[in-house]
PDB file of all heavy atoms in Angstrom:
ATOM      1  N   ARG A 150      28.786  11.181  12.181  1.00 98.00           N
ATOM      2  CA  ARG A 150      28.261  11.743  13.406  1.00 98.00           C
ATOM      3  C   ARG A 150      27.378  12.929  13.045  1.00 98.00           C
ATOM      4  O   ARG A 150      27.491  13.506  11.976  1.00 98.00           O
ATOM      5  CB  ARG A 150      29.377  12.185  14.362  1.00 98.00           C
ATOM      6  CG  ARG A 150      30.297  13.250  13.823  1.00 98.00           C
ATOM      7  CD  ARG A 150      31.294  13.708  14.883  1.00 98.00           C
ATOM      8  NE  ARG A 150      32.300  14.614  14.346  1.00 98.00           N
ATOM      9  CZ  ARG A 150      32.079  15.934  14.155  1.00 98.00           C
ATOM     10  NH1 ARG A 150      30.907  16.451  14.448  1.00 98.00           N
ATOM     11  NH2 ARG A 150      33.044  16.697  13.649  1.00 98.00           N
ATOM     12  N   ILE A 151      26.482  13.281  13.997  1.00 98.00           N
ATOM     13  CA  ILE A 151      25.551  14.373  13.770  1.00 98.00           C
ATOM     14  C   ILE A 151      26.179  15.663  14.292  1.00 98.00           C
ATOM     15  O   ILE A 151      26.501  15.772  15.492  1.00 98.00           O
ATOM     16  CB  ILE A 151      24.206  14.109  14.457  1.00 98.00           C
ATOM     17  CG1 ILE A 151      23.630  12.784  14.014  1.00 98.00           C
ATOM     18  CG2 ILE A 151      23.245  15.252  14.186  1.00 98.00           C
ATOM     19  CD1 ILE A 151      23.419  12.655  12.519  1.00 98.00           C
ATOM     20  N   ALA A 152      26.379  16.612  13.397  1.00 98.00           N
ATOM     21  CA  ALA A 152      26.978  17.899  13.782  1.00 98.00           C
ATOM     22  C   ALA A 152      25.970  18.736  14.590  1.00 98.00           C
ATOM     23  O   ALA A 152      24.790  18.377  14.728  1.00 98.00           O
ATOM     24  CB  ALA A 152      27.389  18.649  12.521  1.00 98.00           C
ATOM     25  N   THR A 153      26.458  19.828  15.095  1.00 97.00           N
ATOM     26  CA  THR A 153      25.602  20.671  15.948  1.00 97.00           C
ATOM     27  C   THR A 153      24.887  21.773  15.159  1.00 97.00           C
ATOM     28  O   THR A 153      24.047  22.476  15.729  1.00 97.00           O
ATOM     29  CB  THR A 153      26.434  21.331  17.077  1.00 97.00           C
ATOM     30  OG1 THR A 153      27.508  22.070  16.477  1.00 97.00           O
ATOM     31  CG2 THR A 153      26.970  20.267  18.007  1.00 97.00           C
ATOM     32  N   GLU A 154      25.219  21.903  13.857  1.00 97.00           N
ATOM     33  CA  GLU A 154      24.537  22.859  13.024  1.00 97.00           C
ATOM     34  C   GLU A 154      24.620  22.399  11.576  1.00 97.00           C
ATOM     35  O   GLU A 154      25.571  21.723  11.198  1.00 97.00           O
ATOM     36  CB  GLU A 154      25.100  24.281  13.153  1.00 97.00           C
ATOM     37  CG  GLU A 154      26.391  24.518  12.432  1.00 97.00           C
ATOM     38  CD  GLU A 154      27.608  23.873  13.090  1.00 97.00           C
ATOM     39  OE1 GLU A 154      27.628  23.807  14.334  1.00 97.00           O
ATOM     40  OE2 GLU A 154      28.497  23.420  12.353  1.00 97.00           O
ATOM     41  N   PRO A 155      23.622  22.704  10.772  1.00 97.00           N
ATOM     42  CA  PRO A 155      23.648  22.280   9.345  1.00 97.00           C
ATOM     43  C   PRO A 155      24.681  23.099   8.572  1.00 97.00           C
ATOM     44  O   PRO A 155      24.961  24.255   8.890  1.00 97.00           O
ATOM     45  CB  PRO A 155      22.228  22.551   8.867  1.00 97.00           C
ATOM     46  CG  PRO A 155      21.729  23.658   9.755  1.00 97.00           C
ATOM     47  CD  PRO A 155      22.380  23.433  11.088  1.00 97.00           C
ATOM     48  N   ARG A 156      25.209  22.435   7.515  1.00 97.00           N
ATOM     49  CA  ARG A 156      26.175  23.113   6.657  1.00 97.00           C
ATOM     50  C   ARG A 156      26.135  22.470   5.290  1.00 97.00           C
ATOM     51  O   ARG A 156      25.968  21.254   5.161  1.00 97.00           O
ATOM     52  CB  ARG A 156      27.582  23.034   7.257  1.00 97.00           C
ATOM     53  CG  ARG A 156      28.472  24.220   6.902  1.00 97.00           C
ATOM     54  CD  ARG A 156      29.620  24.352   7.870  1.00 97.00           C
ATOM     55  NE  ARG A 156      30.506  23.193   7.883  1.00 97.00           N
ATOM     56  CZ  ARG A 156      31.386  22.949   8.834  1.00 97.00           C
ATOM     57  NH1 ARG A 156      31.473  23.764   9.871  1.00 97.00           N
ATOM     58  NH2 ARG A 156      32.172  21.915   8.782  1.00 97.00           N
ATOM     59  N   GLY A 157      26.275  23.274   4.248  1.00 97.00           N
ATOM     60  CA  GLY A 157      26.306  22.747   2.887  1.00 97.00           C
ATOM     61  C   GLY A 157      24.954  22.865   2.200  1.00 97.00           C
ATOM     62  O   GLY A 157      23.895  22.971   2.848  1.00 97.00           O
ATOM     63  N   THR A 158      25.005  22.850   0.883  1.00 95.00           N
ATOM     64  CA  THR A 158      23.775  23.013   0.095  1.00 95.00           C
ATOM     65  C   THR A 158      23.494  21.805  -0.808  1.00 95.00           C
ATOM     66  O   THR A 158      22.515  21.826  -1.550  1.00 95.00           O
ATOM     67  CB  THR A 158      23.874  24.279  -0.810  1.00 95.00           C
ATOM     68  OG1 THR A 158      25.030  24.172  -1.644  1.00 95.00           O
ATOM     69  CG2 THR A 158      24.024  25.521   0.067  1.00 95.00           C
ATOM     70  N   GLY A 159      24.327  20.788  -0.761  1.00 94.00           N
ATOM     71  CA  GLY A 159      24.093  19.620  -1.615  1.00 94.00           C
ATOM     72  C   GLY A 159      23.336  18.542  -0.898  1.00 94.00           C
ATOM     73  O   GLY A 159      22.917  18.694   0.264  1.00 94.00           O
ATOM     74  N   GLY A 160      23.108  17.439  -1.578  1.00 92.00           N
ATOM     75  CA  GLY A 160      22.436  16.296  -0.967  1.00 92.00           C
ATOM     76  C   GLY A 160      21.000  16.604  -0.602  1.00 92.00           C
ATOM     77  O   GLY A 160      20.378  17.555  -1.137  1.00 92.00           O
ATOM     78  N   PHE A 161      20.456  15.846   0.321  1.00 95.00           N
ATOM     79  CA  PHE A 161      19.081  16.040   0.792  1.00 95.00           C
ATOM     80  C   PHE A 161      18.917  15.325   2.102  1.00 95.00           C
ATOM     81  O   PHE A 161      19.824  14.696   2.610  1.00 95.00           O
ATOM     82  CB  PHE A 161      18.082  15.540  -0.267  1.00 95.00           C
ATOM     83  CG  PHE A 161      18.222  14.071  -0.621  1.00 95.00           C
ATOM     84  CD1 PHE A 161      17.429  13.102  -0.030  1.00 95.00           C
ATOM     85  CD2 PHE A 161      19.153  13.670  -1.571  1.00 95.00           C
ATOM     86  CE1 PHE A 161      17.538  11.768  -0.375  1.00 95.00           C
ATOM     87  CE2 PHE A 161      19.289  12.332  -1.919  1.00 95.00           C
ATOM     88  CZ  PHE A 161      18.497  11.377  -1.293  1.00 95.00           C
ATOM     89  N   GLY A 162      17.735  15.426   2.674  1.00 96.00           N
ATOM     90  CA  GLY A 162      17.503  14.772   3.965  1.00 96.00           C
ATOM     91  C   GLY A 162      18.370  15.350   5.064  1.00 96.00           C
ATOM     92  O   GLY A 162      18.434  16.561   5.277  1.00 96.00           O
ATOM     93  N   TYR A 163      19.068  14.470   5.753  1.00 98.00           N
ATOM     94  CA  TYR A 163      19.913  14.870   6.895  1.00 98.00           C
ATOM     95  C   TYR A 163      21.367  15.161   6.470  1.00 98.00           C
ATOM     96  O   TYR A 163      22.213  15.351   7.337  1.00 98.00           O
ATOM     97  CB  TYR A 163      19.903  13.762   7.951  1.00 98.00           C
ATOM     98  CG  TYR A 163      18.543  13.496   8.528  1.00 98.00           C
ATOM     99  CD1 TYR A 163      17.655  12.626   7.875  1.00 98.00           C
ATOM    100  CD2 TYR A 163      18.103  14.082   9.701  1.00 98.00           C
ATOM    101  CE1 TYR A 163      16.395  12.360   8.394  1.00 98.00           C
ATOM    102  CE2 TYR A 163      16.850  13.849  10.233  1.00 98.00           C
ATOM    103  CZ  TYR A 163      15.978  12.964   9.551  1.00 98.00           C
ATOM    104  OH  TYR A 163      14.739  12.712  10.073  1.00 98.00           O
ATOM    105  N   ASP A 164      21.625  15.239   5.201  1.00 98.00           N
ATOM    106  CA  ASP A 164      23.008  15.440   4.702  1.00 98.00           C
ATOM    107  C   ASP A 164      23.671  16.696   5.260  1.00 98.00           C
ATOM    108  O   ASP A 164      24.884  16.666   5.503  1.00 98.00           O
ATOM    109  CB  ASP A 164      23.025  15.462   3.174  1.00 98.00           C
ATOM    110  CG  ASP A 164      22.831  14.099   2.561  1.00 98.00           C
ATOM    111  OD1 ASP A 164      22.735  13.097   3.322  1.00 98.00           O
ATOM    112  OD2 ASP A 164      22.756  13.982   1.312  1.00 98.00           O
ATOM    113  N   PRO A 165      22.966  17.809   5.514  1.00 98.00           N
ATOM    114  CA  PRO A 165      23.637  18.973   6.078  1.00 98.00           C
ATOM    115  C   PRO A 165      24.150  18.759   7.511  1.00 98.00           C
ATOM    116  O   PRO A 165      25.007  19.518   7.986  1.00 98.00           O
ATOM    117  CB  PRO A 165      22.559  20.071   6.045  1.00 98.00           C
ATOM    118  CG  PRO A 165      21.619  19.627   4.981  1.00 98.00           C
ATOM    119  CD  PRO A 165      21.580  18.131   5.088  1.00 98.00           C
ATOM    120  N   LEU A 166      23.642  17.734   8.197  1.00 98.00           N
ATOM    121  CA  LEU A 166      24.069  17.437   9.567  1.00 98.00           C
ATOM    122  C   LEU A 166      24.974  16.224   9.671  1.00 98.00           C
ATOM    123  O   LEU A 166      25.661  16.041  10.677  1.00 98.00           O
ATOM    124  CB  LEU A 166      22.847  17.193  10.470  1.00 98.00           C
ATOM    125  CG  LEU A 166      21.934  18.368  10.752  1.00 98.00           C
ATOM    126  CD1 LEU A 166      20.743  17.922  11.580  1.00 98.00           C
ATOM    127  CD2 LEU A 166      22.695  19.488  11.477  1.00 98.00           C
ATOM    128  N   PHE A 167      25.014  15.388   8.624  1.00 98.00           N
ATOM    129  CA  PHE A 167      25.738  14.124   8.705  1.00 98.00           C
ATOM    130  C   PHE A 167      27.202  14.349   8.303  1.00 98.00           C
ATOM    131  O   PHE A 167      27.552  14.460   7.141  1.00 98.00           O
ATOM    132  CB  PHE A 167      25.091  13.074   7.795  1.00 98.00           C
ATOM    133  CG  PHE A 167      25.595  11.675   8.021  1.00 98.00           C
ATOM    134  CD1 PHE A 167      25.155  10.943   9.114  1.00 98.00           C
ATOM    135  CD2 PHE A 167      26.503  11.102   7.156  1.00 98.00           C
ATOM    136  CE1 PHE A 167      25.624   9.659   9.340  1.00 98.00           C
ATOM    137  CE2 PHE A 167      26.954   9.817   7.356  1.00 98.00           C
ATOM    138  CZ  PHE A 167      26.520   9.067   8.443  1.00 98.00           C
ATOM    139  N   HIS A 168      28.054  14.388   9.322  1.00 98.00           N
ATOM    140  CA  HIS A 168      29.493  14.603   9.121  1.00 98.00           C
ATOM    141  C   HIS A 168      30.196  13.267   8.952  1.00 98.00           C
ATOM    142  O   HIS A 168      30.023  12.351   9.800  1.00 98.00           O
ATOM    143  CB  HIS A 168      30.075  15.375  10.303  1.00 98.00           C
ATOM    144  CG  HIS A 168      31.538  15.644  10.158  1.00 98.00           C
ATOM    145  ND1 HIS A 168      32.028  16.785   9.538  1.00 98.00           N
ATOM    146  CD2 HIS A 168      32.650  14.944  10.543  1.00 98.00           C
ATOM    147  CE1 HIS A 168      33.355  16.764   9.548  1.00 98.00           C
ATOM    148  NE2 HIS A 168      33.738  15.660  10.152  1.00 98.00           N
ATOM    149  N   VAL A 169      30.973  13.151   7.904  1.00 98.00           N
ATOM    150  CA  VAL A 169      31.713  11.907   7.620  1.00 98.00           C
ATOM    151  C   VAL A 169      33.198  12.156   7.848  1.00 98.00           C
ATOM    152  O   VAL A 169      33.823  12.895   7.084  1.00 98.00           O
ATOM    153  CB  VAL A 169      31.482  11.440   6.172  1.00 98.00           C
ATOM    154  CG1 VAL A 169      32.121  10.089   5.914  1.00 98.00           C
ATOM    155  CG2 VAL A 169      29.970  11.364   5.863  1.00 98.00           C
ATOM    156  N   PRO A 170      33.779  11.583   8.896  1.00 96.00           N
ATOM    157  CA  PRO A 170      35.191  11.835   9.182  1.00 96.00           C
ATOM    158  C   PRO A 170      36.107  11.545   8.003  1.00 96.00           C
ATOM    159  O   PRO A 170      37.085  12.237   7.774  1.00 96.00           O
ATOM    160  CB  PRO A 170      35.470  10.877  10.371  1.00 96.00           C
ATOM    161  CG  PRO A 170      34.144  10.766  11.039  1.00 96.00           C
ATOM    162  CD  PRO A 170      33.130  10.754   9.931  1.00 96.00           C
ATOM    163  N   ARG A 171      35.781  10.483   7.255  1.00 94.00           N
ATOM    164  CA  ARG A 171      36.620  10.125   6.105  1.00 94.00           C
ATOM    165  C   ARG A 171      36.679  11.242   5.062  1.00 94.00           C
ATOM    166  O   ARG A 171      37.712  11.437   4.425  1.00 94.00           O
ATOM    167  CB  ARG A 171      36.065   8.869   5.465  1.00 94.00           C
ATOM    168  CG  ARG A 171      36.822   8.371   4.238  1.00 94.00           C
ATOM    169  CD  ARG A 171      36.271   7.046   3.761  1.00 94.00           C
ATOM    170  NE  ARG A 171      36.819   6.643   2.480  1.00 94.00           N
ATOM    171  CZ  ARG A 171      36.478   5.523   1.849  1.00 94.00           C
ATOM    172  NH1 ARG A 171      35.595   4.704   2.398  1.00 94.00           N
ATOM    173  NH2 ARG A 171      36.998   5.224   0.690  1.00 94.00           N
ATOM    174  N   LEU A 172      35.620  12.029   4.955  1.00 97.00           N
ATOM    175  CA  LEU A 172      35.578  13.146   4.020  1.00 97.00           C
ATOM    176  C   LEU A 172      35.986  14.444   4.673  1.00 97.00           C
ATOM    177  O   LEU A 172      36.295  15.413   3.980  1.00 97.00           O
ATOM    178  CB  LEU A 172      34.182  13.282   3.441  1.00 97.00           C
ATOM    179  CG  LEU A 172      33.637  12.111   2.621  1.00 97.00           C
ATOM    180  CD1 LEU A 172      32.183  12.377   2.234  1.00 97.00           C
ATOM    181  CD2 LEU A 172      34.480  11.898   1.362  1.00 97.00           C
ATOM    182  N   GLY A 173      35.931  14.479   6.005  1.00 97.00           N
ATOM    183  CA  GLY A 173      36.192  15.726   6.717  1.00 97.00           C
ATOM    184  C   GLY A 173      35.127  16.777   6.442  1.00 97.00           C
ATOM    185  O   GLY A 173      35.406  17.974   6.511  1.00 97.00           O
ATOM    186  N   ALA A 174      33.906  16.311   6.120  1.00 98.00           N
ATOM    187  CA  ALA A 174      32.860  17.239   5.736  1.00 98.00           C
ATOM    188  C   ALA A 174      31.505  16.566   5.883  1.00 98.00           C
ATOM    189  O   ALA A 174      31.414  15.352   6.057  1.00 98.00           O
ATOM    190  CB  ALA A 174      33.059  17.678   4.297  1.00 98.00           C
ATOM    191  N   ARG A 175      30.466  17.415   5.837  1.00 98.00           N
ATOM    192  CA  ARG A 175      29.105  16.868   5.774  1.00 98.00           C
ATOM    193  C   ARG A 175      28.869  16.321   4.369  1.00 98.00           C
ATOM    194  O   ARG A 175      29.495  16.748   3.406  1.00 98.00           O
ATOM    195  CB  ARG A 175      28.062  17.964   6.027  1.00 98.00           C
ATOM    196  CG  ARG A 175      28.405  18.965   7.105  1.00 98.00           C
ATOM    197  CD  ARG A 175      28.033  18.468   8.475  1.00 98.00           C
ATOM    198  NE  ARG A 175      27.827  19.607   9.379  1.00 98.00           N
ATOM    199  CZ  ARG A 175      28.780  20.280   9.990  1.00 98.00           C
ATOM    200  NH1 ARG A 175      30.029  19.897   9.814  1.00 98.00           N
ATOM    201  NH2 ARG A 175      28.511  21.292  10.797  1.00 98.00           N
ATOM    202  N   PHE A 176      27.927  15.406   4.229  1.00 98.00           N
ATOM    203  CA  PHE A 176      27.558  14.932   2.889  1.00 98.00           C
ATOM    204  C   PHE A 176      27.056  16.101   2.036  1.00 98.00           C
ATOM    205  O   PHE A 176      27.246  16.103   0.819  1.00 98.00           O
ATOM    206  CB  PHE A 176      26.470  13.871   3.001  1.00 98.00           C
ATOM    207  CG  PHE A 176      26.991  12.463   2.954  1.00 98.00           C
ATOM    208  CD1 PHE A 176      26.208  11.407   3.422  1.00 98.00           C
ATOM    209  CD2 PHE A 176      28.231  12.152   2.439  1.00 98.00           C
ATOM    210  CE1 PHE A 176      26.671  10.096   3.399  1.00 98.00           C
ATOM    211  CE2 PHE A 176      28.713  10.845   2.395  1.00 98.00           C
ATOM    212  CZ  PHE A 176      27.920   9.823   2.888  1.00 98.00           C
ATOM    213  N   ALA A 177      26.409  17.088   2.659  1.00 98.00           N
ATOM    214  CA  ALA A 177      25.887  18.221   1.908  1.00 98.00           C
ATOM    215  C   ALA A 177      26.974  19.184   1.421  1.00 98.00           C
ATOM    216  O   ALA A 177      26.681  20.066   0.617  1.00 98.00           O
ATOM    217  CB  ALA A 177      24.881  18.996   2.767  1.00 98.00           C
ATOM    218  N   GLU A 178      28.207  18.976   1.858  1.00 98.00           N
ATOM    219  CA  GLU A 178      29.302  19.874   1.490  1.00 98.00           C
ATOM    220  C   GLU A 178      30.147  19.343   0.363  1.00 98.00           C
ATOM    221  O   GLU A 178      30.986  20.062  -0.157  1.00 98.00           O
ATOM    222  CB  GLU A 178      30.194  20.154   2.699  1.00 98.00           C
ATOM    223  CG  GLU A 178      29.529  20.912   3.799  1.00 98.00           C
ATOM    224  CD  GLU A 178      30.503  21.188   4.940  1.00 98.00           C
ATOM    225  OE1 GLU A 178      30.849  20.225   5.665  1.00 98.00           O
ATOM    226  OE2 GLU A 178      30.928  22.344   5.107  1.00 98.00           O
ATOM    227  N   VAL A 179      29.957  18.086  -0.017  1.00 98.00           N
ATOM    228  CA  VAL A 179      30.836  17.468  -1.026  1.00 98.00           C
ATOM    229  C   VAL A 179      30.080  17.265  -2.326  1.00 98.00           C
ATOM    230  O   VAL A 179      28.840  17.367  -2.375  1.00 98.00           O
ATOM    231  CB  VAL A 179      31.411  16.130  -0.518  1.00 98.00           C
ATOM    232  CG1 VAL A 179      32.209  16.358   0.768  1.00 98.00           C
ATOM    233  CG2 VAL A 179      30.318  15.102  -0.310  1.00 98.00           C
ATOM    234  N   SER A 180      30.808  16.957  -3.381  1.00 97.00           N
ATOM    235  CA  SER A 180      30.196  16.738  -4.688  1.00 97.00           C
ATOM    236  C   SER A 180      29.393  15.444  -4.672  1.00 97.00           C
ATOM    237  O   SER A 180      29.638  14.545  -3.843  1.00 97.00           O
ATOM    238  CB  SER A 180      31.277  16.642  -5.758  1.00 97.00           C
ATOM    239  OG  SER A 180      32.042  15.454  -5.571  1.00 97.00           O
ATOM    240  N   PRO A 181      28.439  15.303  -5.590  1.00 95.00           N
ATOM    241  CA  PRO A 181      27.709  14.039  -5.701  1.00 95.00           C
ATOM    242  C   PRO A 181      28.642  12.863  -5.917  1.00 95.00           C
ATOM    243  O   PRO A 181      28.403  11.770  -5.367  1.00 95.00           O
ATOM    244  CB  PRO A 181      26.802  14.254  -6.902  1.00 95.00           C
ATOM    245  CG  PRO A 181      26.586  15.739  -6.955  1.00 95.00           C
ATOM    246  CD  PRO A 181      27.901  16.322  -6.517  1.00 95.00           C
ATOM    247  N   GLU A 182      29.715  13.068  -6.668  1.00 95.00           N
ATOM    248  CA  GLU A 182      30.663  11.973  -6.930  1.00 95.00           C
ATOM    249  C   GLU A 182      31.362  11.534  -5.665  1.00 95.00           C
ATOM    250  O   GLU A 182      31.548  10.337  -5.432  1.00 95.00           O
ATOM    251  CB  GLU A 182      31.686  12.426  -7.967  1.00 95.00           C
ATOM    252  CG  GLU A 182      31.138  12.656  -9.373  1.00 95.00           C
ATOM    253  CD  GLU A 182      30.414  13.978  -9.505  1.00 95.00           C
ATOM    254  OE1 GLU A 182      30.549  14.863  -8.620  1.00 95.00           O
ATOM    255  OE2 GLU A 182      29.665  14.132 -10.497  1.00 95.00           O
ATOM    256  N   ALA A 183      31.745  12.498  -4.808  1.00 97.00           N
ATOM    257  CA  ALA A 183      32.399  12.157  -3.546  1.00 97.00           C
ATOM    258  C   ALA A 183      31.454  11.433  -2.633  1.00 97.00           C
ATOM    259  O   ALA A 183      31.818  10.458  -1.955  1.00 97.00           O
ATOM    260  CB  ALA A 183      32.948  13.425  -2.893  1.00 97.00           C
ATOM    261  N   LYS A 184      30.216  11.908  -2.541  1.00 97.00           N
ATOM    262  CA  LYS A 184      29.209  11.239  -1.712  1.00 97.00           C
ATOM    263  C   LYS A 184      28.952   9.829  -2.212  1.00 97.00           C
ATOM    264  O   LYS A 184      28.931   8.845  -1.450  1.00 97.00           O
ATOM    265  CB  LYS A 184      27.932  12.046  -1.676  1.00 97.00           C
ATOM    266  CG  LYS A 184      26.826  11.356  -0.859  1.00 97.00           C
ATOM    267  CD  LYS A 184      25.499  12.122  -0.913  1.00 97.00           C
ATOM    268  CE  LYS A 184      24.427  11.368  -0.177  1.00 97.00           C
ATOM    269  NZ  LYS A 184      23.098  12.021  -0.249  1.00 97.00           N
ATOM    270  N   ASN A 185      28.723   9.687  -3.509  1.00 96.00           N
ATOM    271  CA  ASN A 185      28.363   8.395  -4.076  1.00 96.00           C
ATOM    272  C   ASN A 185      29.483   7.375  -4.007  1.00 96.00           C
ATOM    273  O   ASN A 185      29.243   6.179  -4.100  1.00 96.00           O
ATOM    274  CB  ASN A 185      27.931   8.561  -5.536  1.00 96.00           C
ATOM    275  CG  ASN A 185      26.629   9.308  -5.687  1.00 96.00           C
ATOM    276  OD1 ASN A 185      25.864   9.397  -4.732  1.00 96.00           O
ATOM    277  ND2 ASN A 185      26.359   9.825  -6.871  1.00 96.00           N
ATOM    278  N   ALA A 186      30.698   7.830  -3.822  1.00 95.00           N
ATOM    279  CA  ALA A 186      31.829   6.887  -3.737  1.00 95.00           C
ATOM    280  C   ALA A 186      31.763   6.066  -2.435  1.00 95.00           C
ATOM    281  O   ALA A 186      32.269   4.945  -2.414  1.00 95.00           O
ATOM    282  CB  ALA A 186      33.162   7.658  -3.803  1.00 95.00           C
ATOM    283  N   ILE A 187      31.124   6.607  -1.394  1.00 97.00           N
ATOM    284  CA  ILE A 187      31.160   5.895  -0.109  1.00 97.00           C
ATOM    285  C   ILE A 187      29.794   5.802   0.564  1.00 97.00           C
ATOM    286  O   ILE A 187      29.689   5.229   1.662  1.00 97.00           O
ATOM    287  CB  ILE A 187      32.145   6.560   0.870  1.00 97.00           C
ATOM    288  CG1 ILE A 187      31.660   7.968   1.242  1.00 97.00           C
ATOM    289  CG2 ILE A 187      33.552   6.576   0.307  1.00 97.00           C
ATOM    290  CD1 ILE A 187      32.430   8.574   2.422  1.00 97.00           C
ATOM    291  N   SER A 188      28.770   6.358  -0.018  1.00 97.00           N
ATOM    292  CA  SER A 188      27.480   6.448   0.682  1.00 97.00           C
ATOM    293  C   SER A 188      26.833   5.077   0.904  1.00 97.00           C
ATOM    294  O   SER A 188      27.135   4.099   0.233  1.00 97.00           O
ATOM    295  CB  SER A 188      26.510   7.334  -0.079  1.00 97.00           C
ATOM    296  OG  SER A 188      25.968   6.630  -1.208  1.00 97.00           O
ATOM    297  N   HIS A 189      25.927   5.040   1.848  1.00 98.00           N
ATOM    298  CA  HIS A 189      25.142   3.857   2.157  1.00 98.00           C
ATOM    299  C   HIS A 189      24.347   3.407   0.934  1.00 98.00           C
ATOM    300  O   HIS A 189      24.269   2.205   0.636  1.00 98.00           O
ATOM    301  CB  HIS A 189      24.187   4.160   3.326  1.00 98.00           C
ATOM    302  CG  HIS A 189      23.304   5.339   3.079  1.00 98.00           C
ATOM    303  ND1 HIS A 189      23.795   6.586   2.744  1.00 98.00           N
ATOM    304  CD2 HIS A 189      21.949   5.489   3.108  1.00 98.00           C
ATOM    305  CE1 HIS A 189      22.793   7.433   2.596  1.00 98.00           C
ATOM    306  NE2 HIS A 189      21.659   6.780   2.794  1.00 98.00           N
TER     307      HIS A 189
END
Side-chain angles (χ1 to χ4, degrees):
R150 62 175 173 80
I151 304 302
T153 56
E154 77 287 325
R156 209 159 62 195
T158 58
F161 59 97
Y163 298 85
D164 286 356
L166 292 177
F167 192 77
H168 181 88
V169 185
R171 179 175 172 181
L172 298 175
R175 321 275 204 279
F176 264 160
E178 294 182 288
V179 301
S180 68
E182 293 78 15
K184 178 185 176 183
N185 292 342
I187 65 168
S188 76
H189 55 306

